[in-house]
Amino acid sequence: MNNVIDFINTHRDRYVDELKQYLAIPSISALPEHKADVRRTAEWSTEEMRRIGLQNVRLIETPGFPVVYGDWLGAQGAPTILFYGHYDVQPVDPLELWESPPFEATVRDGEIYARGAADDKGQVFMHFKAIEAHLKQNGRLPVNMKIILEGEEEVGSANLDNFVKDHRDELKADVVVISDSPMFDRGIPSICYGLRGLVYFQIDLRGTKSDLHSGSFGGAVANPAFVLANVLAQMKDRGGHVKIPGFYDDVRELREEERDQWKRLPFNEKRYAKELGAPRLFGETGYSTLERVWARPTFEVNGILSGFTGEGAKTVIPAVAMAKVSMRLVPNQDPDKIAQLFEDHIKKVAPKTVDVKVTRMHGGKPWMTEFDNKFVQAAGRAIEKGFGKTPVFNREGGSIPVVATFQEILGLPSVLFGVGLPDENAHAPNEKLDLGNFHGGIIASAYLYDEVAKG
Ligand code: BES
Ligand code: MN
Ligand code: MN
């Protein structure tokens, strides 16, 4: 291993230059005008994977963006890692809040700023460099490796479940490795053993066929903006409990020992609130902040649109109102079942004075693994070697829907080996990746393959 680590330390600066090229392609999967860029990023990924010595590298077409595939299968008798990552990124708006252009990666104070720096190109690239170091120095990897990169993660992975089903045999492996999450805190590496699931909806209300003069008609018809506010207000009570009947039925309660472990994590609520700029934290009563985010389901309003919002005043009753809402789910909640409960509840609470349309969008199942799994333990040892610190074991509030698919379709455990940070600004302006974490992550990934091989 020493020669591999030496190689990584020697090439530190080159890695940053190369990562900048990857980050320069605006692979925004949500926006049609970036279609060609997303594809170009898939192609760039294949070229890089060939450069570092992977084999059978190719694009596999799906009805959406292609899956990038590559492997190295020369470690006879050793376990096989299925590595998953995504090469697409989130939109960049509001652009004016970026301190440097989102697709011109810029290093400031030891962090590289760009859309995709942490989520997820930077963390994918870290594995490319770990693989390259092994292959260039030793001509081999300690494990077999299959890599799939997706271009639709940020828009809900609509084609990935079918891809996994259709390629069940080619994807045979012993463990999935994913680096697409933050670590617990700066200087505190972690292995993540749980993610929340998601159901997402758009709600459209229509009151009348057109906007109305609020003087001539105010008092005669319901105002859809008002109705929407009322409907949303009935989704959650003042204590932060979701009021949809049956919503909590399948929620697995936190184990006492898990609660105790989390209480011992170095987490400072005051500092957390201050960093978020929140006057006060808010969440479900009876649970700590970490418990609320990692182990409790939520209902959120992601956006609201209605009526006149320009400068000045306009006396109008809007014809329509719209909201995007979503629920984060925890084990053992089922997205389909929760979706049904939500739709039933909306129908019950919405008055007959407006037309209501509820459209279900993407989502995914929650996921959790046992952290005494031998691969999770191997990941713990690897991250400790890369960062010189014992990791903590945590859960996360975000969602990676395919993790549950890997479990169900392929029967595989996943190791979430993320080196982002809670303040990485994922999905927000000024997304960044700490270059110390990037470098430590390359070393830790190189060790990970070795530790997985040891079993
Ligand atoms: N990398 C994130 C998932 C993530 C975020 C894991 C924070 C752990 C902590 C991923 O790219 C993402 O944004 N997922 C979406 C899923 C959705 C589009 C189905 C999410 O969580 O909103
Ligand atoms: Mn991601
Ligand atoms: Mn994301």
Side-chain angles (χ1 to χ4, degrees):
M1 275 306 288
N2 285 343
N3 63 338
V4 173
I5 305 308
D6 286 347
F7 183 93
I8 294 170
N9 284 325
T10 311
H11 291 85
R12 192 171 176 147
D13 295 337
R14 169 172 69 86
Y15 296 159
V16 178
D17 291 336
E18 292 174 357
L19 175 59
K20 283 183 180 172
Q21 296 174 34
Y22 204 17
L23 294 172
I25 322 174
S27 51
I28 306 172
S29 50
L31 302 178
E33 62 267 34
H34 284 286
K35 234 175 148 167
D37 296 318
V38 181
R39 208 159 240 291
R40 207 146 54 82
T41 308
E43 273 152 17
W44 197 96
S45 307
T46 61
E47 285 154 24
E48 172 66 12
M49 285 160 70
R50 286 191 193 108
R51 269 199 293 277
I52 62 176
L54 288 166
Q55 299 170 347
N56 299 308
V57 177
R58 61 184 187 272
L59 296 184
I60 305 177
E61 294 300 331
T62 77
F65 291 116
V67 169
V68 178
Y69 178 87
D71 62 28
W72 191 89
L73 303 172
Q76 255 194 9
T80 301
I81 290 177
L82 175 62
F83 176 83
Y84 163 87
H86 62 93
Y87 63 85
D88 65 325
V89 300
Q90 285 276 333
V92 296
D93 56 288
L95 187 60
E96 65 279 10
L97 295 184
W98 284 79
E99 279 167 34
S100 52
F103 298 108
E104 282 169 40
T106 308
V107 175
R108 286 194 297 277
D109 301 329
E111 320 239 20
I112 186 162
Y113 287 80
R115 174 57 88 227
D119 185 12
D120 179 29
K121 285 171 171 172
Q123 298 198 64
V124 167
F125 201 72
M126 143 190 131
H127 284 273
F128 286 171
K129 296 299 105 174
I131 292 167
E132 178 187 62
H134 276 283
L135 290 178
K136 292 271 141 66
Q137 289 294 68
N138 297 334
R140 65 187 305 278
L141 292 173
V143 284
N144 300 296
M145 183 82 75
K146 297 177 180 177
I147 294 185
I148 55 172
L149 305 180
E150 184 197 2
E152 302 180 303
E153 198 275 343
E154 298 292 9
V155 287
S157 304
N159 296 296
L160 198 61
D161 279 9
N162 279 337
F163 176 87
V164 173
K165 281 178 198 149
D166 292 348
H167 297 83
R168 202 187 295 249
D169 292 333
E170 290 128 284
L171 298 178
K172 267 210 185 99
D174 296 285
V175 60
V176 176
V177 169
I178 300 176
S179 291
D180 190 23
S181 50
M183 34 189 245
F184 179 71
D185 204 353
R186 204 171 277 278
I188 308 179
S190 56
I191 299 294
C192 170
Y193 65 92
L195 292 168
R196 289 196 290 189
L198 182 74
V199 269
Y200 201 112
F201 289 95
Q202 177 168 329
I203 307 169
D204 286 281
L205 303 190
R206 177 170 285 279
T208 50
K209 65 179 188 225
S210 149
D211 285 358
L212 298 174
H213 189 295
S214 70
S216 308
F217 300 98
V221 290
N223 181 320
F226 218 103
V227 173
L228 180 61
N230 267 316
V231 165
L232 293 177
Q234 293 182 65
M235 294 295 154
K236 225 168 172 177
D237 70 17
R238 292 165 61 98
H241 301 280
V242 178
K243 293 205 305 187
I244 301 167
F247 185 77
Y248 291 99
D249 283 0
D250 301 325
V251 170
R252 193 193 301 168
E253 282 299 325
L254 264 156
R255 283 179 291 119
E256 259 333 293
E257 51 175 317
E258 216 175 5
R259 279 195 125 164
D260 287 344
Q261 268 160 13
W262 293 0
K263 271 187 208 127
R264 276 183 261 120
L265 291 173
F267 181 76
N268 181 323
E269 303 234 343
K270 282 219 179 81
R271 199 192 101 191
Y272 182 82
K274 197 167 161 222
E275 272 169 13
L276 297 180
R280 248 169 205 268
L281 297 180
F282 172 76
E284 193 182 358
T285 49
Y287 296 91
S288 72
T289 298
L290 289 183
E291 290 167 358
R292 288 166 178 170
V293 176
W294 293 351
R296 298 296 297 171
T298 60
F299 183 103
E300 295 301 341
V301 180
N302 301 106
I304 291 189
L305 197 66
S306 183
F308 177 71
T309 55
E311 240 177 90
K314 181 183 179 197
T315 46
V316 67
I317 300 173
V320 294
M322 188 271 275
K324 308 252 185 189
V325 302
S326 61
M327 287 151 265
R328 293 282 167 176
L329 310 178
V330 300
N332 299 320
Q333 285 177 300
D334 173 57
D336 292 334
K337 188 173 164 190
I338 295 296
Q340 192 59 53
L341 294 176
F342 168 73
E343 287 179 40
D344 293 347
H345 189 55
I346 277 261
K347 278 195 196 111
K348 216 184 76 201
V349 299
K352 302 256 177 305
T353 50
V354 294
D355 284 334
V356 182
K357 195 172 106 200
V358 177
T359 312
R360 184 167 170 195
M361 300 168 85
H362 58 47
K365 289 184 182 166
W367 166 82
M368 208 167 137
T369 189
E370 298 308 324
F371 55 82
D372 51 13
N373 176 291
K374 67 177 178 185
F375 295 119
V376 177
Q377 291 302 317
R381 294 195 299 275
I383 208 120
E384 177 152 3
K385 286 183 175 173
F387 286 83
K389 269 201 185 143
T390 311
V392 300
F393 289 86
N394 67 331
R395 294 209 232 164
E396 280 291 341
S399 311
I400 308 177
V402 74
V403 181
T405 310
F406 288 140
Q407 181 71 58
E408 279 173 20
I409 310 284
L410 303 178
L412 292 182
S414 288
V415 166
L416 265 76
F417 195 76
V419 302
L421 286 172
D423 68 351
E424 68 192 10
N425 298 325
H427 297 200
N430 304 308
E431 179 177 348
K432 63 184 177 182
L433 179 66
D434 182 280
L435 286 177
N437 281 14
F438 176 57
H439 190 69
I442 298 171
I443 295 175
S445 303
Y447 276 118
L448 175 67
Y449 314 150
D450 203 47
E451 292 294 335
V452 167
K454 288 184 197 158

